[in-house]
Amino acid sequence: MSLELNREWENLSCLHIGRLPARASFIPYANAETARTGKRGRSPHYQTLNGMWKFRYHERVREVDGRFFEADTDAGAWDDLIVPSCWQTNGYDQLHYTNVNYPIPYDPPYVPDDNPAGAYVRDFNLPEAWTKKKTHIVFEGVNACFYLWVNGRFVGYSQGSRIPAEFDLSPFVAAGRNRIAVLVLKWCDGTYLEDQDVWRFSGIYRDVYLLSRDTAHIRDVFNQPLLSGDLTEGKLRSEIETTGNLTVQAEIWDPSGKLVGRQEAQIDGKGTIELDVPQPQLWNAEQPRLYELFLTAGQEVLRFRMGFKKVEIVDGIFRINGRAVKLKGVNRHDSHPELGQTIPVNHMIADLKLMKRHNVNTIRTSHYPNDPKFLDLCDEYGFYVIDEADLECHGVTRTGELEEGVFHKLSKAPEWREAFVERAVRMVERDKNHASVIIWSMGNESGYGPNHMAMAEWTKARDASRPVHYEGADPRYYSDPNTSCLDMDSRMYASVKEIERYALDENSTKPLFLCEYSHAMGNGPGDLQDYWNVIYRYPKLMGGCVWEWCDHGIAAETPDGQRYFAYGGDFGEQPNDGNFCIDGLVFPDRRPHTGLLELKQVIAPVHIDAEDAGQGRFRVLNRYDFSNLSHLAVSWKLEREGEVLQQGRSGLLTAEPGKTQELNLPYDLPQEVPGPFVLTCSVRQQQDTAWAEEGYEIAFYQFELPGAQGVLRQELPVIREYAAFMKAEEQEGRLTVTGFDFEHVFDLKLGMPLQITKQGVPLLSRPARFNLWRAPMDNDMHIRKEWEAAGLHHTAMKVYASRWEPKPDASVEIRVDFSLASYTFEPFVRGSAVWTVEGTGEVKLAVHADVRENLPFLPRFGLELTMPKGTEEIEYYGFGPHESYIDKRASVRKGKYLLSVDDMFENYVMPQETGSRYGTDWAIASNVQGMGLRFTAGEPFSFQALHYTAEDLTAAQHTYELQRRPETIVTLDYRMSGAGSGSCGPQLAEPYQFAEKSFDFAVTIQPVFKEEE
């Protein structure tokens, strides 16, 4: 017999049955001492139901046994499944990633009849004392809807995947053994409102627990810290709702543990307690000072950590505690590579510490309320949170052409109004007491209409202390929307020029928030510095959140044991959006991408400029909003080509927020030493914090200083002494040039060096070649189509003429006229290359090239050399230690680096262009004995050394598909286009496009035994 249900999951008029009204998140304790620990398990009024449950997965709900929930059903043969967890990460159902597309047909409110269901059963014991009180059960997160039975009796139904559901079990439980049964459905009408860009997980994935409540108890609390106009006087207004007539005692303790005030009130139903807090210590993300409020009623003590703060918008400027604040944020999903959306507390803490270490101060909970424990941690560590309702119906755009109104179908539909508003209600009620929440967000990418307006209006009526955000009202989506209920304008992926236009537009009177910008997918983002140059310039621009924090990869393993991170489509699911979930600043295991290092430097709270670097005079700008710089100091070092000449440490910094101070560094520039010199100033912590150790670097700044006009490096024997050994001989299209200790071979038909040797050691394993192609970055997603349509990925070289001649200085010159082209198309590049072999063995290349007019901007132009197996040591003077590009180089510093070829490689989940070093002065690729090639150029160049070709990286879709070559592929680039954030953001900015139509490139290749030099 199958289970008979009333299909509440397809009934818009039934959002729940028997669920208690939403309330603030709290746990009742027996006394203040245990409440202060914040450990739920220390409360006698709390009992976890986390742990092992019996579980049975059904591909369709109609297959569920009609008696599974009964008290005497034998579930012993069922599977064991830990709760909380996502059933897909435990081998059930289909792992499925989709972004915009709904995973079901668009037929609201209906979902497929083949609706997967998970049946959960477990027994639990209830103490005798609990039966004399109220017993509640709280589900903090169940995706997507569920039915609940206790001891065979139906308790209720709920939907709304990321918001708690609480039920009163008192009529259903007894002392001793009890049985709970839960049926979770994968889809319901709420699925149309939960179309976020995520893996689609199901099950009881957040905590489940029982609460024992006094018959008359505090049902809800809304703590409102109030501040005087000058912020010097505070008052805590605690609005309390009870289920009966109660004596409630309130105590408030300051951050140092001192009792500030105590008051008692008799409350029957609803009442208010107000406590004066003179000279309150204010909460902000830099100084997260938390007061403790204890409410005692009957046998229960409730503890709330709260912060005094004031959030307001004045004259179009977003302010906290009276000061204009820049939100330096990231978008964060609940995401774990093994557990899906089940997030352990230590994993949350690791995220927050990593954010703090990289100067992030803001989190947008994209696109739903995160686990309530996460907000507790944000209060404590100090983060500004844009708390976002569990609402996204992006897939509606695929139901027709994007004509006016399609995006807004559900947002305008009256029958969906209650479902929309309830998601705001349940979020606000749960999170209203958190200091970290500074903005309420009405969801994401759901069009805009009366339903959103109703959400915003209810929110503002309930909590006037925080502004309301919703990006979907952007006029780009909706002509002339009524946005009076929204307190800020918001944009996704607006260009730098667009946000500057907004800042300069006198008709734009609200602050602008970039809720998503700088798409960090793969090797990116590459435009952060440009955004923040403008954001800092204009007060109306309040900052933004990079998309996004982490790659949403699933930990997987190939049949032969190679571990990798899987993405959309790897499990055969349809529809899927491929690797678009691999778009974060950190890998799934939280190893930082170079993009996070870039963000850290760009949004650093300290900036140093040179006033007179030659005299050691600098100016330090404090970009903190509330903190002076007394917790920081500057250490410095003066170097020449990596050699430290002088170093020291400044005294403590003192500048107040937004102010500058002079910094004088006591170095003396050597008068007779040729430059340039590089001065590095490192801004470091002076004490341990909760997220970093003493000495941790917050930011760094470098300055290049001129030195004396020195002579060039003295050559070994004079060139004329080598002339007698020079010999050039052509045979069957190959030119062999022999000198004192080298023999170089040129293939005149290919127009390229075939071999370069020193002391008989071969230093090439394949002919050199010119290269226009780079393995597309994720942010090349759109321009890649143009590159491939033009044929740039199949480039071959045509040699029109190749001739050589000895020169009077005993050098040998080879001139090559060439073009680079692909089948079907006219040549992309026509040019000439002049190779000159000097008596010292140096090979100089000078290229002049003209680019076809009607081409898109090029990926790159470079010389590619394949060096033999064993070429594993890379030494260079330039920017490092990690990769850098023309628009992604704020986080690298000039220096001398010694790395392995593997060190040069950033192993992106989706292989792509990686490892280039922008602005290199010189580089040496050698074996571990120092035998190799040295590269120099007239101008700094981009340098890359990998065990993969651009074609290898292009072809591979996953890391395990890369076959590491024993050879080392060295590319010396005249120029490479930037990284940008074009996978979702604007096209790469023009200054970073390699769009030159004529250029000259010169590079020198010197065979070396570097240990002898």
Side-chain angles (χ1 to χ4, degrees):
M1 180 182 70
S2 62
L3 183 66
E4 293 294 329
L5 298 170
N6 292 325
R7 302 182 75 87
E8 284 84 1
W9 66 88
E10 294 179 323
N11 182 355
L12 283 175
S13 65
C14 180
L15 301 177
H16 71 92
I17 299 171
R19 192 181 67 213
L20 296 174
R23 63 168 174 86
S25 179
F26 60 79
I27 300 293
Y29 289 83
N31 51 60
E33 288 70 29
T34 52
R36 184 169 272 125
T37 68
K39 299 291 187 181
R40 296 174 171 183
R42 298 183 185 180
S43 168
H45 309 312
Y46 168 90
Q47 181 177 330
T48 184
L49 291 180
N50 291 349
M52 196 66 74
W53 290 52
K54 304 305 288 188
F55 177 77
R56 178 161 284 177
Y57 172 75
H58 302 273
E59 291 186 353
R60 48 199 65 84
V61 65
R62 64 178 176 271
E63 296 174 354
V64 177
D65 182 353
R67 300 185 57 198
F68 95 93
F69 59 85
E70 294 183 0
D72 58 354
T73 296
D74 183 5
W78 290 22
D79 296 339
D80 291 326
L81 181 67
I82 286 180
V83 169
S85 67
C86 304
W87 73 50
Q88 285 87 354
T89 61
N90 285 275
Y92 304 98
D93 194 12
Q94 173 73 62
L95 278 159
H96 195 159
Y97 165 65
T98 178
N99 175 13
V100 176
N101 295 294
Y102 283 120
I104 59 174
Y106 182 79
D107 186 22
Y110 304 106
V111 298
D113 292 334
D114 291 344
N115 190 359
Y120 295 76
V121 170
R122 72 159 290 171
D123 295 332
F124 64 93
N125 291 317
L126 201 69
E128 175 74 29
W130 280 47
T131 62
K132 296 178 174 59
K133 298 183 178 183
K134 293 284 189 181
T135 299
H136 290 188
I137 187 170
V138 178
F139 293 85
E140 289 193 339
V142 181
N143 197 335
C145 68
F146 69 100
Y147 293 84
L148 172 65
W149 296 263
V150 171
N151 293 327
R153 299 167 61 192
F154 179 66
V155 176
Y157 166 84
S158 181
Q159 62 186 60
S161 296
R162 286 99 174 191
I163 323 170
E166 185 172 7
F167 298 88
D168 183 359
L169 300 188
S170 306
F172 306 97
V173 295
R177 201 78 166 162
N178 294 265
R179 171 163 289 195
I180 181 171
V182 179
L183 182 68
V184 179
L185 274 63
K186 182 174 183 177
W187 298 314
C188 66
D189 52 60
T191 300
Y192 290 100
L193 305 184
E194 295 174 5
D195 190 37
Q196 289 94 343
D197 176 12
V198 291
W199 291 91
R200 306 307 169 99
F201 293 115
S202 311
I204 306 173
Y205 72 97
R206 287 183 184 164
D207 292 346
V208 186
Y209 50 87
L210 301 174
L211 296 177
S212 178
R213 305 301 310 271
D214 290 347
T215 302
H217 60 263
I218 296 175
R219 197 202 75 80
D220 194 19
V221 179
F222 187 6
N223 297 316
Q224 300 177 57
L226 307 175
L227 290 165
S228 61
D230 61 2
L231 309 178
T232 60
E233 295 297 322
K235 183 187 297 291
L236 172 64
R237 177 185 296 156
S238 188
E239 296 179 357
I240 299 170
E241 181 183 340
T242 67
T243 62
N245 193 344
L246 282 172
T247 300
V248 180
Q249 177 183 280
E251 290 183 348
I252 187 168
W253 301 72
D254 72 14
S256 67
K258 178 184 176 182
L259 180 64
V260 176
R262 179 186 290 119
Q263 190 173 324
E264 192 173 281
Q266 199 70 25
I267 297 177
D268 187 3
K270 290 187 177 180
T272 300
I273 293 178
E274 292 190 353
L275 292 165
D276 290 329
V277 181
Q279 297 181 324
Q281 300 178 51
L282 303 185
W283 184 98
N284 59 71
E286 297 164 22
Q287 301 153 347
R289 303 179 179 117
L290 292 171
Y291 285 73
E292 287 186 302
L293 172 69
F294 294 94
L295 297 177
T296 302
Q299 298 180 29
E300 298 182 358
V301 176
L302 309 184
R303 172 199 183 230
F304 298 92
R305 302 181 78 188
M306 44 155 298
F308 280 87
K309 71 177 190 304
K310 186 175 185 179
V311 182
E312 58 188 341
I313 294 169
V314 180
D315 297 329
I317 299 172
F318 179 79
R319 297 179 183 273
I320 294 176
N321 298 339
R323 296 187 180 178
V325 168
K326 299 295 187 184
L327 302 182
K328 302 174 179 181
V330 295
N331 285 274
R332 178 192 177 273
H333 276 291
D334 280 339
S335 179
H336 190 284
E338 285 88 27
L339 302 177
Q341 282 204 310
T342 299
I343 313 299
V345 170
N346 281 340
H347 197 265
M348 300 177 196
I349 292 172
D351 269 358
L352 295 178
K353 285 185 175 180
L354 200 54
M355 291 177 192
K356 277 287 188 183
R357 290 172 70 90
H358 291 84
N359 297 325
V360 171
N361 70 4
T362 301
I363 300 166
R364 177 178 176 228
T365 66
S366 50
H367 300 290
Y368 43 80
N370 288 181
D371 188 300
K373 293 190 289 293
F374 185 73
L375 290 184
D376 291 336
L377 294 167
C378 289
D379 295 342
E380 178 183 341
Y381 280 87
F383 283 92
Y384 302 124
V385 173
I386 293 92
D387 202 1
E388 194 147 84
D390 187 9
L391 174 62
E392 179 168 336
C393 41
H394 203 170
V396 71
T397 61
R398 300 299 168 87
T399 66
E401 297 299 321
L402 280 176
E403 73 272 5
E404 175 78 18
V406 171
F407 204 174
H408 319 291
K409 282 182 179 179
L410 299 184
S411 301
K412 289 182 174 180
E415 64 271 23
W416 285 88
R417 179 187 175 107
E418 186 179 355
F420 272 62
V421 172
E422 186 197 65
R423 289 172 182 257
V425 171
R426 292 169 72 189
M427 170 185 68
V428 171
E429 296 294 9
R430 190 196 78 168
D431 296 340
K432 57 185 177 280
N433 293 322
H434 284 282
S436 56
V437 176
I438 60 165
I439 296 170
W440 299 117
S441 179
M442 301 294 97
N444 183 68
E445 294 178 324
S446 298
Y448 184 65
N451 296 344
H452 272 108
M453 297 176 198
M455 293 173 72
E457 287 162 2
W458 180 92
T459 300
K460 294 169 78 72
R462 178 60 170 148
D463 177 23
S465 70
R466 298 174 175 98
V468 172
H469 160 268
Y470 180 64
E471 182 271 341
D474 183 339
R476 291 180 296 180
Y477 312 140
Y478 196 54
S479 60
D480 193 27
N482 177 358
T483 61
S484 59
C485 60
L486 304 176
D487 296 304
M488 62 198 69
D489 283 334
S490 182
R491 298 288 185 273
M492 286 186 181
Y493 308 109
S495 69
V496 174
K497 289 181 180 179
E498 286 178 277
I499 67 171
E500 186 162 34
R501 279 199 297 271
Y502 182 96
L504 294 170
D505 183 359
E506 294 181 357
N507 295 317
S508 298
T509 58
K510 296 178 180 179
L512 180 67
F513 177 54
L514 297 179
C515 65
E516 297 178 21
Y517 79 108
S518 275
H519 205 250
M521 192 173 183
N523 191 344
D527 47 21
L528 284 164
Q529 188 67 66
D530 292 344
Y531 276 101
W532 279 92
N533 287 343
V534 173
I535 291 169
Y536 280 131
R537 191 177 305 143
Y538 299 103
K540 204 189 303 182
L541 304 181
M542 56 190 283
C545 295
V546 171
W547 187 268
E548 67 170 309
W549 173 242
C550 73
D551 292 341
H552 298 211
I554 302 293
E557 194 172 290
T558 63
D560 62 352
Q562 296 184 65
R563 292 184 59 80
Y564 69 102
F565 292 112
Y567 50 74
D570 285 345
F571 303 98
E573 75 272 27
Q574 291 294 336
N576 72 77
D577 283 280
N579 74 314
F580 214 66
C581 59
I582 308 296
D583 54 1
L585 292 163
V586 297
F587 285 97
D589 58 8
R590 273 43 184 185
R591 287 174 294 129
H593 284 303
T594 54
L596 181 58
L597 305 181
E598 192 79 359
L599 179 65
K600 173 187 176 181
Q601 182 66 17
V602 168
I603 62 174
V606 181
H607 186 79
I608 301 178
D609 281 318
E611 287 194 339
D612 186 340
Q615 298 298 315
R617 292 174 48 230
F618 299 86
R619 184 152 292 278
V620 180
L621 169 63
N622 181 357
R623 280 183 169 151
Y624 284 107
D625 299 310
F626 298 96
S627 305
N628 64 35
L629 298 183
S630 60
H631 63 292
L632 302 174
V634 175
S635 59
W636 59 270
K637 61 181 177 179
L638 186 68
E639 298 173 280
R640 180 182 178 277
E641 285 217 353
E643 178 187 357
V644 177
L645 304 177
Q646 298 170 40
Q647 59 185 316
R649 183 171 175 171
S650 76
L652 294 179
L653 301 174
T654 60
E656 294 297 319
K659 304 298 183 181
T660 64
Q661 70 174 89
E662 288 189 1
L663 177 67
N664 296 298
L665 301 182
Y667 56 78
D668 295 312
L669 289 179
Q671 297 300 309
E672 298 179 0
V673 179
F677 305 107
V678 172
L679 175 72
T680 303
C681 296
S682 178
V683 184
R684 297 181 180 273
Q685 285 192 165
Q686 296 307 292
Q687 63 267 335
D688 290 347
T689 62
W691 44 270
E693 68 285 351
E694 178 186 355
Y696 179 74
E697 184 179 82
I698 300 296
F700 73 92
Y701 293 92
Q702 285 194 314
F703 306 91
E704 193 162 300
L705 310 175
Q709 295 296 319
V711 286
L712 296 175
R713 181 168 70 106
Q714 187 175 358
E715 297 177 358
L716 294 177
V718 183
I719 290 180
R720 64 175 176 269
E721 295 180 5
Y722 289 122
F725 298 94
M726 288 289 288
K727 182 171 65 174
E729 182 177 358
E730 180 183 350
Q731 188 173 3
E732 296 181 356
R734 291 189 176 183
L735 175 67
T736 302
V737 182
T738 306
F740 180 78
D741 61 355
F742 67 88
E743 183 176 278
H744 304 337
V745 180
F746 283 78
D747 189 318
L748 298 176
K749 294 177 182 177
L750 295 177
M752 284 287 169
L754 188 62
Q755 187 54 266
I756 295 175
T757 68
K758 182 178 175 69
Q759 298 288 14
V761 177
L763 300 173
L764 293 181
S765 59
R766 221 173 46 213
R769 66 166 182 162
F770 292 132
N771 191 14
L772 298 178
W773 184 249
R774 75 174 181 200
M777 301 178 183
D778 285 313
N779 282 327
D780 293 329
M781 185 177 297
H782 303 297
I783 189 61
R784 174 183 187 167
K785 297 173 184 176
E786 296 184 42
W787 288 345
E788 291 180 336
L792 293 175
H793 57 317
H794 292 309
T795 302
M797 182 168 162
K798 165 71 176 178
V799 175
Y800 299 109
S802 184
R803 53 204 179 276
W804 67 275
E805 62 176 328
K807 306 300 286 184
D809 62 359
S811 63
V812 176
E813 185 178 274
I814 303 104
R815 291 183 171 270
V816 179
D817 298 326
F818 70 94
S819 66
L820 300 175
S822 177
Y823 49 77
T824 305
F825 301 99
E826 296 179 62
F828 312 129
V829 172
R830 295 181 185 273
S832 61
V834 179
W835 300 87
T836 303
V837 181
E838 301 284 1
T840 58
E842 282 186 344
V843 179
K844 295 181 177 179
L845 168 65
V847 176
H848 174 77
D850 297 307
V851 181
R852 202 178 79 208
E853 284 295 328
N854 58 350
L855 284 175
F857 67 85
L858 298 179
R860 76 189 323 163
F861 180 87
L863 176 68
E864 182 186 289
L865 305 170
T866 303
M867 297 185 66
K869 178 181 179 181
T871 306
E872 298 293 341
E873 190 167 280
I874 304 298
E875 188 172 3
Y876 73 97
Y877 185 69
F879 291 100
H882 53 267
E883 65 189 6
S884 55
Y885 296 82
I886 189 171
D887 62 341
K888 185 186 173 188
R889 53 192 171 99
S891 60
V892 290
R893 59 194 84 193
K894 193 74 170 280
K896 186 177 180 180
Y897 297 97
L898 181 63
L899 305 173
S900 70
V901 175
D902 288 334
D903 291 335
M904 300 280 286
F905 178 58
E906 180 84 359
N907 197 14
Y908 290 103
V909 172
M910 174 84 162
Q912 57 196 277
E913 160 60 34
T914 176
S916 287
R917 266 57 176 179
Y918 175 88
T920 303
D921 285 4
W922 59 259
I924 299 173
S926 71
N927 61 23
V928 294
Q929 295 169 282
M931 301 172 180
L933 297 174
R934 176 186 174 98
F935 311 105
T936 55
E939 297 291 334
F941 57 96
S942 286
F943 170 72
Q944 183 184 60
L946 303 173
H947 283 299
Y948 310 98
T949 65
E951 291 76 13
D952 294 337
L953 294 168
T954 301
Q957 300 299 299
H958 301 85
T959 53
Y960 68 84
E961 296 172 22
L962 284 173
Q963 298 298 311
R964 184 181 184 275
R965 293 174 181 263
E967 302 87 4
T968 292
I969 315 301
V970 172
T971 306
L972 313 171
D973 282 312
Y974 161 70
R975 188 169 177 187
M976 182 187 287
S977 287
S981 59
S983 53
C984 203
Q987 186 185 49
L988 183 67
E990 288 185 6
Y992 309 131
Q993 299 176 9
F994 180 14
E996 297 173 50
K997 294 303 178 183
S998 182
F999 62 87
D1000 294 280
F1001 178 42
V1003 64
T1004 298
I1005 305 167
Q1006 172 70 56
V1008 294
F1009 287 3
K1010 67 178 185 179
E1011 292 186 1
E1012 299 177 1
E1013 294 189 346

